[in-house]
Amino acid sequence: MNLLRASAREAAAASSGGSGRPGAGVQVALAPPYTAIDVVGDAIRGSGLLLAAQDVAAAHEGAYTGEVSAAMLVDAGVGLVIVGHSERRHGLGETDAVVLEKVHRAGEAGLQVTLCVGETGDERDAGRAEEVVERQVDAVVDLGRVPLHVAYEPVWAIGTGRTATHEDARSMHAHIRATVAAIAGRDAAEALIIQYGGSVKPDNSAALLAQDGVDGLLVGGASLDAASFAAVVPL
């Protein structure tokens, strides 16, 4: 919940400046607040960047005041939606069942989905990190039916300045891939894009991307400044 329309437009235009196009085989998406989806979409049109949304309703339509449906997102030009972000799971009480319904709605509308999974500090300290993440992945049982990415975001590393060690990232990404292989098969697991999120910054992004099994990044605060974002994701 950052940036008003004018500043969001300015940041998006700066992010899509220069060559304005991601490198071959690289997808870059910007997920502004709902109120700025239209102006950000205009700013990045033709740039090769994908317009994304930060969340989606679990229902198709109806009396759900304040919610935004998958069909509404598609109508606004959105191509990807983030589902299950830790701030919604832990701050707003979203359960695995709610996250699954949101994945269903997004998939039915033809949206790509970035599914966020991750453990809290207490869960990691109790030795339950892999169990928690496996449960969150396993809850989305129809991985083959939805264009899905997974973003591992250890909750204890979000907005805290702490970042998972390289071994933390490598081992959890490997565990996620093994979990997906057990659900959807080895081919689906090998094709799956798994991103790391959690205090990603210009000074740690390259090292994170160099880790085996880390296919991309989910960038939070560093995306609010175009220069910082460009240092994480060169365009």
Side-chain angles (χ1 to χ4, degrees):
M1 195 168 66
N2 286 287
L3 303 184
L4 302 182
R5 286 164 58 85
S7 53
R9 182 195 299 112
E10 181 180 349
S15 294
S16 61
S19 66
R21 295 184 181 278
V26 177
Q27 182 182 71
V28 179
L30 300 182
Y34 290 133
T35 54
I37 281 178
D38 59 337
V39 295
V40 169
D42 288 342
I44 66 174
R45 185 170 291 115
S47 70
L49 275 65
L50 183 66
L51 183 63
Q54 297 177 14
D55 188 41
V56 65
H60 290 283
E61 62 181 1
Y64 300 95
T65 301
E67 292 290 277
V68 177
S69 73
M72 290 172 177
L73 294 179
V74 172
D75 188 50
V78 169
L80 180 149
V81 64
I82 300 168
V83 174
H85 194 281
S86 63
E87 290 160 5
R88 300 199 63 84
R89 290 181 187 265
H90 300 287
L92 298 173
E94 287 191 3
T95 64
D96 289 339
V98 170
V99 171
L100 177 60
E101 287 304 307
K102 291 186 174 192
V103 171
H104 283 167
R105 300 294 84 77
E108 289 164 355
L111 290 165
Q112 296 182 54
V113 174
T114 293
L115 170 70
C116 297
V117 300
E119 79 283 2
T120 65
D122 288 344
E123 289 165 339
R124 174 163 282 272
D125 292 343
R128 298 181 54 234
E130 289 190 351
E131 170 197 337
V132 169
V133 171
E134 183 173 335
R135 186 203 76 225
Q136 293 171 345
V137 173
D138 191 60
V140 183
V141 294
D142 55 353
L143 289 159
R145 293 202 300 131
V146 178
L148 187 74
H149 314 149
V150 173
Y152 170 55
E153 44 158 17
V155 180
W156 47 269
I158 299 173
T160 64
R162 296 173 59 195
T163 308
T165 66
H166 297 164
E167 179 54 34
D168 290 336
R170 272 198 309 270
S171 63
M172 189 59 81
H173 282 229
H175 185 67
I176 291 169
R177 211 173 294 279
T179 300
V180 172
I183 297 170
R186 183 174 298 277
D187 289 347
E190 291 179 353
L192 180 68
I193 294 173
I194 306 178
Q195 302 162 257
Y196 173 82
S199 294
V200 174
K201 300 180 178 119
D203 61 2
N204 64 25
S205 58
L208 286 165
L209 284 171
Q211 302 309 304
D212 186 38
V214 177
D215 305 314
L217 301 170
L218 183 66
V219 186
S223 68
L224 298 177
D225 176 79
S228 174
F229 186 58
V232 173
V233 186
L235 295 174

